[in-house]
């Protein structure tokens, strides 16, 4: 019996999560595992009602679950930063989910904006460090609001944090058993302190993995190659900020936010799985948002929980639905409603 904490969140989060749970239930029935869910109402609505972002004790309660299934955080009536930092980033940090795992995979039948590229060219995974870097919140303002003000925001890179991320990436690349190539994405020509550390640890840890090819590219070049030659990549490892940026680009080349899923992983603790597209407020309640990203996040959750076969079969069903049913992955243009897409995946299961 898996205990899953559900934070459906804002906007279209609840609609997407409902389809994800529908698919998880079908997979549970087929593969003979059980799960129970508890819903937590964290998000913009609750904040606007109570003034509270995360209630006292919430993080400790979430810690007792086997996994967290997250819809989306972000509300148009709440100032940017409050919910993102107060919920999403706080959970990532306090639950020490130091890996953000984001597969970039183009499924057959999905429209790709890159001319001449197909599923055989786009299949890689980004391992994004998820607890440090520019996201650490280190810095501050001096003389705020005056003509002389100063804003400082520092990237924090600890050897421990860098090393555990790189080790995860090498292990993941090994397990994935694809090209056996790990690309470090950095900026060693300018950010010499931070990425100097990344590069040194990359080479030291990499020496323990002789069968993994080590590759390096600057972040700007990675953006170019992801468009020009995405087939070069197998696993990319990078810091928090660069990982944030390149995975939005990754989502676009795999068919858009409708399909892009990610896992915030603490290999020794509680992990959290989410569609990476956000709350899409303008589509809320219309039954038009694409739930496949949430469904894929659910599959990633099963994989990490140890239900690899069920995870794989969900991915297969998603692939089938993309290849044979959907007109587009974009909200409102799928040819089906949100709940119908969930039903199609269940039917394929
Ligand atoms: C993501 C998002 C978040 C991030 C925001 C909402 C804080 O863009 O998950 O990629 O920057 O990490
Ligand atoms: Mn992002």
């Amino acid at each position: 019996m898996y205990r899953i904490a559900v934070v459906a969140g804002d906007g279209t989060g609840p609609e997407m999560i409902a389809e994800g749970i529908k698919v998880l239930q079908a997979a549970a029935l087929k593969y003979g595992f059980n799960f129970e869910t508890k819903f937590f109402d964290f998000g913009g609505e609750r904040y606007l009602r109570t003034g509270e972002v995360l209630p006292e004790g919430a993080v400790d309660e979430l810690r007792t679950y086997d996994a967290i299934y997250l819809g989306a955080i972000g509300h148009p009536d709440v100032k940017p930063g409050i919910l993102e930092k107060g919920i999403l980033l706080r959970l990532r940090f306090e639950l020490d989910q130091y890996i953000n795992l984001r597969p970039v995979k183009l499924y057959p039948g999905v429209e790709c904006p890159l001319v001449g590229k197909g599923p055989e060219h786009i299949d890689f995974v980004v391992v994004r460090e998820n607890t440090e870097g520019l996201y650490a919140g280190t810095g501050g303002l001096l003389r705020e609001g005056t003509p002389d003000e100063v804003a400082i925001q520092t990237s924090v890179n600890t050897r421990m944090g860098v090393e555990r991320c790189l080790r995860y990436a090498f292990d993941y690349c090994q397990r994935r058993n694809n090209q056996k190539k790990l690309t470090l994405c950095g900026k060693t020509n300018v950010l010499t302190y931070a990425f100097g550390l990344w590069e040194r640890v990359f080479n030291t840890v990499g020496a323990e993995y002789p069968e993994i090819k080590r590759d390096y590219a600057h972040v700007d070049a990675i953006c170019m190659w992801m468009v020009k030659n995405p087939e070069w990549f197998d696993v990319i490892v990078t810091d928090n900020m660069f990982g944030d940026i390149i995975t939005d680009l990754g989502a676009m080349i795999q068919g858009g936010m409708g399909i892009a899923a990610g896992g915030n992983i603490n290999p020794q603790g509680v992990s959290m799985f989410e569609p990476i597209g956000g709350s899409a407020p303008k589509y809320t309640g219309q039954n038009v948002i694409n739930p496949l990203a949430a469904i894929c996040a659910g599959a990633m959750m099963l994989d990490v929980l140890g239900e690899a076969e069920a995870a794989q079969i969900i991915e297969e069903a998603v692939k089938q639905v993309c290849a044979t049913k959907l007109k587009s992955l974009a909200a409102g243009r799928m040819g089906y409603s949100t709940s119908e897409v969930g039903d199609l995946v269940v039917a394929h299961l």
Side-chain angles (χ1 to χ4, degrees):
M1 172 69 84
Y2 300 113
R3 294 174 64 248
I4 296 171
V6 180
V7 181
D10 300 314
T12 52
E15 297 163 59
M16 297 190 283
I17 286 295
E19 299 314 306
I21 291 177
K22 194 194 264 179
V23 171
L24 290 173
Q25 273 161 350
L29 214 59
K30 191 174 161 96
Y31 285 95
F33 63 87
N34 287 306
F35 69 93
E36 62 180 28
T37 52
K38 180 167 173 195
F39 281 71
F40 293 84
D41 67 351
F42 311 147
E45 294 298 334
R46 183 193 170 111
Y47 172 70
L48 291 171
R49 203 170 62 237
T50 65
E52 200 173 48
V53 187
L54 268 186
E56 178 88 23
V59 178
D60 284 327
E61 188 175 356
L62 289 176
R63 227 186 276 284
T64 68
Y65 284 81
D66 293 312
I68 303 168
Y69 194 29
L70 180 83
I73 297 293
H75 195 291
D77 302 337
V78 181
K79 196 173 137 217
I82 294 180
L83 301 171
E84 293 87 337
K85 284 168 106 172
I87 302 177
L88 186 62
L89 298 183
R90 191 160 161 223
L91 292 177
R92 287 177 182 170
F93 281 45
E94 288 200 26
L95 297 173
D96 205 20
Q97 293 161 341
Y98 60 87
I99 298 298
N100 197 327
L101 193 64
R102 297 187 162 181
V104 178
K105 190 168 179 174
L106 178 66
Y107 292 136
V110 172
E111 197 187 344
C112 173
L114 306 183
V115 175
K117 300 294 176 187
E120 67 277 28
H121 302 108
I122 300 174
D123 181 6
F124 61 92
V125 178
V126 177
V127 175
R128 164 185 174 189
E129 201 290 322
N130 212 30
T131 55
E132 299 193 340
L134 281 168
Y135 281 68
T138 308
L141 290 171
L142 195 59
R143 304 191 287 262
E144 188 181 350
T146 73
D148 295 329
E149 75 181 316
V150 181
I152 295 177
Q153 194 114 35
T154 311
S155 176
V156 175
N157 297 265
T158 69
R159 176 172 270 272
M160 178 281 290
V162 169
E163 182 169 339
R164 67 183 180 176
C165 176
L166 288 168
R167 278 194 188 281
Y168 182 93
F170 277 107
D171 282 334
Y172 187 87
C173 191
Q174 183 106 294
R175 258 186 291 138
R176 182 171 145 90
N177 200 17
N178 197 310
Q179 294 183 48
K180 297 251 181 131
K181 172 173 159 187
L182 180 62
T183 304
L184 173 64
C185 164
K187 190 72 187 175
T188 52
N189 52 348
V190 177
L191 307 177
T192 49
Y193 308 129
F195 286 101
L197 173 63
W198 276 84
E199 195 170 43
R200 274 181 281 122
V201 181
F202 184 62
N203 289 325
T204 313
V205 172
E208 295 172 32
Y209 296 83
E211 57 290 30
I212 307 281
K213 284 185 287 296
R214 263 173 275 155
D215 177 40
Y216 172 82
H218 297 319
V219 62
D220 47 349
I222 288 252
C223 290
M224 177 175 71
W225 301 128
M226 274 173 70
V227 171
K228 199 167 183 291
N229 294 98
E231 66 279 4
W232 284 356
F233 299 115
D234 177 13
V235 179
I236 299 176
V237 62
T238 190
D239 84 341
N240 211 339
M241 187 77 256
F242 291 169
D244 178 48
I245 297 167
I246 69 170
T247 53
D248 267 26
L249 176 55
M252 288 305 117
I253 67 170
Q254 72 177 126
M257 286 302 182
I259 190 90
N264 301 276
I265 294 174
N266 175 343
Q268 290 85 33
V270 187
S271 300
M272 176 166 78
F273 301 84
E274 52 173 340
I276 74 176
S279 59
K282 68 176 177 189
Y283 297 122
T284 304
Q286 295 176 32
N287 204 18
V288 296
I289 197 80
N290 186 344
L292 289 180
I295 291 169
C296 290
M300 286 182 85
M301 175 165 74
L302 288 185
D303 191 51
V304 170
L305 286 172
E307 300 292 340
E309 205 183 339
Q312 221 196 317
I313 218 75
I314 293 175
E315 194 192 332
E316 206 47 53
V318 168
K319 238 191 233 176
Q320 289 297 325
V321 169
C322 287
T324 62
K325 302 284 185 191
L326 301 193
K327 283 206 269 201
S328 157
L329 295 189
R333 287 195 270 126
M334 300 184 289
Y336 296 89
S337 68
T338 305
S339 47
E340 284 170 344
V341 174
D343 293 340
L344 287 171
V345 175
V346 168
H348 273 282
L349 280 181

